[in-house]
Amino acid sequence: MTDWQPLATSLAEQLQLPPGEVRATPVHGGDINQAWKLELGDREFFVKLNRPERLPMFDAERAGLEAIRHSASLRVPEVFLTGQMAGHAVIVMEFIELAGQVDAGRLAVALAAMHNCFNDRFGFYADNTIGSTAQVNTFNNDWIDFWRRHRLSFQLELAARNHLDSSLIDRGYRLAGELDKFFTTYQPRPSLLHGDLWSGNQAADLQGNPVVYDPACYFGDHEADLAMMELFGHPGKRFFASYSEHFPVDADYPRRRELYNLYHVLNHANLFGGGYGAQARRMIEMLLVQ
Ligand code: ADP
C-alpha cells in the first residue's frame, strides 16, 4: 500500500496548494502503472506511479498529452507535473470523470481535427512507449523508411532477442523490404497521431465530449490510428462516414490497415507471447502476397 502523505505533501508544495486532507482511491483499467484518484483538500487529481527509472515514460506521455491538447481537438487531461517523488516516478494530471462509451460521430469529428494537425516530418520530439515497449520516433522525411526502421524492423529485432519463431522474423524482414508496394498511389502526410487508440484509451466525459488518454504520439499516416481502432473492435460505419467528411480516407486503406496493425500484433507477441506470434505470421503471409 502506498503511503500517500509524503507524495501529497510534495505535490501540494509544487502546485502551491494549501495543505489539506488526503484521500487516495485506486483506479483500475490500466495495464502498466498503478493509477489513483488523489483528493487533496477540494482538488482532485489522477496520478500514475511507477518505478523511479520509468520517469522518461511519464515525461513522454506528458509531451504527447500536451501535443494533443495543443491541437484543440480531442479532450485530454491537463498534466500538472511529472517527476520523482517519495521513491516513485509520478505523473499528475487532471482527474476527468469518465462516463463510458464515446459517441462515434463526435469521436470521428474530433479525431479528424487532430489528424488535420500536420508536421513537416514524420516522428516526434521524444521517443515514447507502446505498452511498455520502447517506441523510437526519430524525425524522418520518408514515411516508408520511418515505418520500416522504427516500427517493423524494431519489433523484428526485439522478436529475435525474445527468441520468437525464426521464420516469423525472416518473413517479417522480407515484408519490410517490400513496403513500397503499399504506397504506389498514396502519399501519407505527417498527421498528429494518438498512436495507441484502442477502445481502452478512449471514453466520454460527463458532457459527452470524447476524451483520450495514455497516448503514444507521433506524426504519421492517419491511417495508422484508424487501423488500430479496428484491431480489437470496430468503431462502426457511422464513425467512418463522419470521419471521411473531415479527412478523406484513401480507397486502398484496407490494404495498409493490416500493415499498420502488424506493428501492434508484433508488439503483443513480444510482450505477451501466446497466439500473437502466429497471428503476426498469418498477417505477414497475407501482406507478402498482396
Ligand atoms: P496505464 O498507463 O497503466 O495503461 P491509463 O492511462 O490507461 O493507465 O489509465 C488507467 C485507467 O484510468 C483508464 O483506463 C481510464 O479508465 C482511467 N483514466 C485515465 N486517465 C484518467 C484521468 N485523467 N482521469 C480519470 N480517469 C482516468
Side-chain angles (χ1 to χ4, degrees):
M1 188 65 194
T2 308
D3 174 10
W4 283 99
Q5 203 54 56
L7 206 140
T9 306
S10 176
L11 190 60
E13 258 169 41
Q14 293 202 38
L15 298 176
Q16 300 183 331
L17 303 172
E21 203 183 316
V22 183
R23 233 166 64 135
T25 321
V27 177
H28 301 289
D31 310 315
I32 314 289
N33 304 290
Q34 282 186 52
W36 298 81
K37 176 182 187 180
L38 186 68
E39 292 164 84
L40 244 176
D42 60 357
R43 298 279 304 271
E44 293 180 346
F45 301 95
F46 181 73
V47 179
K48 295 202 285 190
L49 303 179
N50 209 314
R51 294 190 310 279
E53 66 272 17
R54 298 310 301 263
L55 180 58
M57 178 179 71
F58 287 151
D59 286 333
E61 180 171 350
R62 176 183 199 157
L65 287 169
E66 287 178 350
I68 299 177
R69 190 174 163 80
H70 190 67
S71 75
S73 53
L74 285 156
R75 183 173 181 195
V76 286
E78 181 180 357
V79 180
F80 299 118
L81 61 89
T82 53
Q84 286 186 3
M85 273 184 234
H88 300 280
V90 181
I91 182 166
V92 179
M93 61 184 92
E94 173 189 8
F95 184 87
I96 300 179
E97 207 68 61
L98 299 173
Q101 196 77 20
V102 57
D103 175 76
R106 293 185 70 174
L107 177 64
V109 173
L111 185 67
M114 185 178 82
H115 288 164
N116 272 308
C117 294
F118 297 106
N119 191 41
D120 56 351
R121 285 177 303 165
F122 301 98
F124 200 57
Y125 318 106
D127 292 343
N128 44 27
T129 49
I130 183 77
S132 55
T133 308
Q135 177 168 270
V136 176
N137 295 317
T138 310
F139 280 117
N140 194 323
N141 288 314
D142 180 342
W143 172 246
I144 300 176
D145 188 52
F146 179 89
W147 194 261
R148 181 186 294 122
R149 274 174 203 250
H150 301 312
R151 296 296 181 261
L152 276 193
S153 301
F154 185 90
Q155 289 291 336
L156 292 169
E157 277 161 33
L158 263 186
R161 263 183 269 147
N162 290 334
H163 305 293
L164 299 192
D165 180 7
S166 63
S167 64
L168 163 78
I169 296 160
D170 293 346
R171 300 291 280 170
Y173 278 118
R174 180 163 181 162
L175 177 66
E178 293 185 9
L179 294 189
D180 288 0
K181 70 180 182 185
F182 296 95
F183 297 91
T184 48
T185 59
Y186 175 68
Q187 275 200 334
R189 293 182 65 191
S191 288
L192 178 60
L193 306 186
H194 177 284
D196 193 8
L197 203 53
W198 69 293
S199 59
N201 284 342
Q202 36 172 293
D205 66 13
L206 294 178
Q207 290 73 44
N209 301 303
V211 183
V212 295
Y213 34 84
D214 209 11
C217 286
Y218 61 101
F219 291 95
D221 183 359
H222 73 132
E223 291 181 355
D225 260 0
L226 299 179
M228 172 117 216
M229 293 179 75
E230 294 196 71
L231 179 56
F232 300 117
H234 196 280
K237 278 196 180 141
R238 202 160 69 83
F239 169 86
F240 277 102
S242 307
Y243 181 92
S244 318
E245 282 176 25
H246 300 274
F247 198 139
V249 179
D250 186 82
D252 262 352
Y253 155 65
R255 284 182 73 209
R256 288 178 294 268
R257 178 175 54 210
E258 298 304 303
L259 177 66
Y260 291 145
N261 282 340
L262 175 60
Y263 170 60
H264 296 290
V265 174
L266 281 171
N267 189 38
H268 278 63
N270 278 314
L271 288 171
F272 312 119
Y276 290 113
Q279 185 181 350
R281 176 71 200 269
R282 281 195 300 277
M283 291 169 86
I284 289 169
E285 292 307 325
M286 215 189 70
L287 289 160
L288 278 170
V289 296
Q290 281 196 27

